[in-house]
Structure formats: C-alpha cells, structure tokens
C-alpha cells in the first residue's frame, strides 16, 4: 500500500499492514496530510504507546519537515508486522528525509527492502542505512544506477548477519571500466560473508 493511503493504519499500528511503497507522490501527500476526525485527538499526557500520544508527536511538527518525517519513520519502525518496504523513485539525498532513514532502520519486523528507479551512484549513503534493520534478509535493486563501490556501502551499513540475498535487476553500474575497478567491485562483495545469494539480472557494467 502506498504511504499516502495508509497514515491512519500507521498511526493505529495496524498489525495487518505488511507492505508499504514510498514514491515521490506519497511524499507530496505528506505535505498535505490532515488527521481525520477520528484521529484528531492528541495529548502529551497520553501513554507513550497510545494513538493519542502518536497523534500528538506528529501534530507537534510541521508537515513535510525533517522532524515530521522523523516521527513518521519511528511510527513505521514500530509496525508489528511490516515485512516489506519499497522506495520507488525517491530522491535519496533529500535533506528532509535524513532522520527518516535512521528511524526506519530500527524496525524489527522488516525482512525485505526494495529500491526501484533511483540514482544511487552519487550519495545514497543515508537511504541505504535502512538495510541495517536487524531482520532484513533480502535487498533488491530494480532499474537503479549504482556506484561500483555499492558492495562497500553494504559493508559500511549492515551490522547484522540476517541479510543473505542481494538482487540487482536491470541496474547500471558506474566506474567499472578498468580491471582495477572491476576487481574492487567484486572484492567489496567478498567482504560480505553472510551473503548466500548475489543475483544480477540484465545489468549493465
């Protein structure tokens, strides 16, 4: 389900919400977010894990700001059965999402993260911290542009041994023109001993 359509379910920590897709249009919807009448009841006095307290934390910040997305990210991280998160066409270097990535990486339920239609060749370190969510077993890149040191970014961002599968589908890798660059590309993945499946489908080097 797209992020812009599931705010109430995130706020209520819906146990049936298992998949969230985040696109640029979803982030625009965040700017226009208004709580529904049933949710528009917040209180700083409310219990920390209550709906009212989560509403208070969200309403304290200006829609679409770094702080607002930080609160939203913490709510997403606490969804009990969120298994898959997809970032589709999102700007990885957006300043207002810096804290969001870190909050999402605290999720204990996420097992799969997808990146689609994104340019991660320059930057992208922030968004890739989401793969450090401790239960992640699979990461997929679809039609992404990536740097030849993407393997090193995994080494730098993953601090758990749950991740076993990385899949690159129709991706393009930059700076793989010389033998030295190709060796560096392969060598970085060799530093990921817990990976049992490394897949490349219709990729360009």
């Amino acid at each position: 389900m797209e992020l812009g359509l599931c705010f109430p379910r995130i706020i209520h920590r819906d146990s049936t919400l298992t998949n969230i897709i985040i696109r640029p249009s979803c982030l625009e919807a965040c700017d226009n977010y208004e709580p529904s009448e049933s949710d528009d009841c917040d209180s700083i006095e409310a219990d920390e894990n209550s709906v009212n307290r989560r509403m208070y934390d969200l309403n304290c910040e200006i829609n679409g700001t770094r702080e607002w997305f930080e609160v939203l990210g913490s709510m997403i991280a606490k969804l009990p059965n969120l298994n898959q998160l997809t970032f589709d066409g999102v700007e990885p270097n957006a300043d207002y999402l810096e804290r969001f990535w870190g909050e999402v990486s605290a999720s204990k339920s996420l097992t799969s993260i997808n990146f689609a239609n994104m340019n991660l060749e320059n930057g992208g370190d922030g968004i890739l911290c989401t793969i450090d969510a401790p239960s992640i077993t699979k990461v997929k890149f679809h039609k992404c542009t990536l740097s030849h040191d993407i393997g090193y970014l995994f080494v730098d961002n993953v601090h758990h041994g749950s991740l076993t599968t990385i899949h690159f589908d129709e991706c393009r890798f930059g700076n793989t023109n010389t033998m030295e660059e190709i060796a560096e590309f392969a060598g970085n993945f060799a530093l990921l001993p817990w990976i049992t499946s490394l897949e490349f489908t219709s990729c360009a080097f």
Side-chain angles (χ1 to χ4, degrees), residues 1 46 72 78 86 114 118 123 135 140 146 159 166 175 195:
M1 175 177 280
L72 181 63
K78 292 173 182 175
T86 299
N114 302 317
M118 297 175 65
S135 300
K140 181 177 180 178
L146 303 156
H159 303 96
I166 305 174
N175 299 320
I195 299 299

Side-chain angles (χ1 to χ4, degrees), residues 12-80:
H12 286 268
R13 208 170 286 177
D14 189 341
S15 62
T16 65
L17 184 57
T18 59
N19 179 21
I20 295 177
I21 301 172
I22 301 178
R23 297 188 172 100
S25 57
C26 303
L27 301 178
E28 292 173 9
C30 292
D31 289 336
N32 301 317
Y33 165 75
E34 291 184 4
S36 65
E37 290 185 6
S38 61
D39 286 333
D40 195 14
C41 178
D42 57 34
S43 172
I44 192 173
E45 303 297 332
D47 182 83
E48 185 176 354
N49 291 316
S50 70
V51 172
N52 287 355
R53 181 55 182 268
R54 292 195 287 274
M55 284 303 305
Y56 174 82
D57 292 340
L58 201 60
N59 291 341
C60 273
E61 307 298 345
I62 299 173
N63 290 14
T65 61
R66 184 179 308 186
E67 292 75 17
W68 192 89
F69 275 105
E70 180 181 9
V71 174
L72 181 63
S74 69
M75 289 182 176
I76 290 175
K78 292 173 182 175
L79 288 168

Side-chain angles (χ1 to χ4, degrees), residues 44-181:
I44 192 173
E45 303 297 332
D47 182 83
E48 185 176 354
N49 291 316
S50 70
V51 172
N52 287 355
R53 181 55 182 268
R54 292 195 287 274
M55 284 303 305
Y56 174 82
D57 292 340
L58 201 60
N59 291 341
C60 273
E61 307 298 345
I62 299 173
N63 290 14
T65 61
R66 184 179 308 186
E67 292 75 17
W68 192 89
F69 275 105
E70 180 181 9
V71 174
L72 181 63
S74 69
M75 289 182 176
I76 290 175
K78 292 173 182 175
L79 288 168
N81 294 310
L82 181 66
N83 304 132
Q84 181 169 284
L85 189 59
T86 299
F87 300 107
D88 185 355
V90 175
E91 171 51 57
N93 297 314
D95 291 343
Y96 61 91
L97 294 175
E98 285 178 344
R99 298 177 184 175
F100 177 79
W101 310 134
E103 291 295 335
V104 169
S105 71
S107 171
K108 292 181 173 62
S109 63
L110 272 175
T111 58
S112 175
I113 290 187
N114 302 317
F115 301 92
N117 304 302
M118 297 175 65
N119 186 344
L120 298 169
E121 187 171 9
N122 297 307
D125 293 20
I127 193 172
L128 287 177
C129 82
T130 56
I131 63 180
D132 197 33
S135 300
I136 292 291
T137 61
K138 181 176 181 178
V139 176
K140 181 177 180 178
F141 297 88
H142 174 67
K143 291 187 176 181
C144 289
T145 300
L146 303 156
S147 171
H148 74 291
D149 65 353
I150 181 66
Y152 176 77
L153 293 178
F154 271 86
V155 173
D156 197 40
N157 282 286
V158 179
H159 303 96
H160 61 81
S162 301
L163 180 62
T164 59
T165 302
I166 305 174
H167 185 190
F168 299 97
D169 178 50
E170 297 184 49
C171 291
R172 185 180 70 81
F173 297 90
N175 299 320
T176 52
N177 298 317
T178 68
M179 289 301 298
E180 181 179 355
E181 289 167 340

